[in-house]
Amino acid sequence: MNDYKIKSRIWIEVGDNVLLGEGRVRLLKEIEAQGSLSKAAKSIGMSYKKAWTLIDAVNKSAKEAVVTTSVGGQKGGGTVITPYGKNLIAAFEQINKKCWEFLDEEFETLNGI
């Protein structure tokens, strides 16, 4: 007997560009935790160049800046998630959660066949 699975991935697009998906949200949340793009990239095993490219694409596609960066200084530079970015992350996570709740319900229908 085969066990059925339902698979799904959610992402948000603006025009033809991906704004947010699970990977980008994971990177943004890690930036928030680390306070640095380079530290965030390293902690999730991503090259700095790829992380910067993803974050730059998010910032360019969004209505407002999702992250801001500061250069050097006495305390060193850093990357910060903006309030708008935090709201986007929360909205994405809520949509994703509701999607999985729906799919879990539909899975019961599939199992009833």
Side-chain angles (χ1 to χ4, degrees), residues 47-65:
S47 74
Y48 175 82
K49 185 179 186 316
K50 179 169 181 165
W52 189 91
T53 300
L54 289 174
I55 294 305
D56 187 51
V58 169
N59 263 354
K60 286 179 177 173
S61 297
K63 291 179 186 175
E64 298 177 25

Side-chain angles (χ1 to χ4, degrees), residues 63-102:
K63 291 179 186 175
E64 298 177 25
V66 174
V67 300
T68 57
T69 58
S70 58
V71 181
Q74 195 168 10
K75 294 182 180 179
T79 306
V80 177
I81 308 297
T82 65
Y84 177 74
K86 290 177 184 181
N87 288 339
L88 269 181
I89 292 167
F92 177 86
E93 290 183 325
Q94 182 67 14
I95 292 165
N96 204 30
K97 179 177 180 254
K98 286 181 178 181
C99 178
W100 279 106
E101 288 170 357
F102 170 77

Side-chain angles (χ1 to χ4, degrees), residues 20-30 89 92-93:
L20 284 181
E22 289 180 21
R24 292 174 194 218
V25 167
R26 182 174 173 223
L27 177 58
L28 288 167
K29 290 175 80 173
E30 198 60 30
I89 292 167
F92 177 86
E93 290 183 325

